[in-house]
Amino acid sequence: MVIVAFCFLTRPLLPNVDGLERFEGPMIHSGEWDDSVELDGKRVVLVGTGATAAQIATNVGARASRLTIIQRQTNYMLPDPKVMMEVDP
């Protein structure tokens, strides 16, 4: 399985990779997510390391038998304690 998580969510773009048309598994773009694709116990490749990819990797990594992340450049994220802070309704 390949999950593509780059480009704007409103304009899904698949990478131009030689041989991609021969890949027989499911391919999902984060902007066109398909909940019907089974992830549990699968080997998954995640292309991209932006904010969306980081969120996807957290969930998929816990479910997949193996998660490989392909990145063009390092993306740094720091924990922010305010993220889980309670807010008024």
Side-chain angles (χ1 to χ4, degrees):
M1 171 183 311
V2 173
I3 299 175
V4 179
F6 65 87
C7 198
F8 293 101
L9 291 177
T10 58
R11 294 182 294 165
L13 175 67
L14 295 178
N16 184 14
V17 177
D18 288 340
L20 189 62
E21 69 281 353
R22 294 189 305 271
F23 180 71
E24 295 180 5
M27 195 172 341
I28 304 170
H29 189 285
S30 58
E32 296 175 333
W33 194 260
D34 183 356
D35 281 327
S36 70
V37 175
E38 182 60 48
L39 299 173
D40 296 329
K42 303 292 184 183
R43 295 184 312 169
V44 177
V45 174
L46 176 61
V47 180
T49 56
T52 302
Q55 294 173 61
I56 290 171
T58 301
N59 184 279
V60 172
R63 298 171 58 191
S65 66
R66 180 177 184 163
L67 174 61
T68 302
I69 299 174
I70 298 175
Q71 66 183 34
R72 187 178 348 182
Q73 61 193 33
T74 305
N75 188 14
Y76 295 97
M77 294 186 182
L78 301 172
D80 184 349
K82 293 185 277 184
V83 169
M84 301 305 290
M85 184 175 68
E86 289 191 35
V87 295
D88 293 333

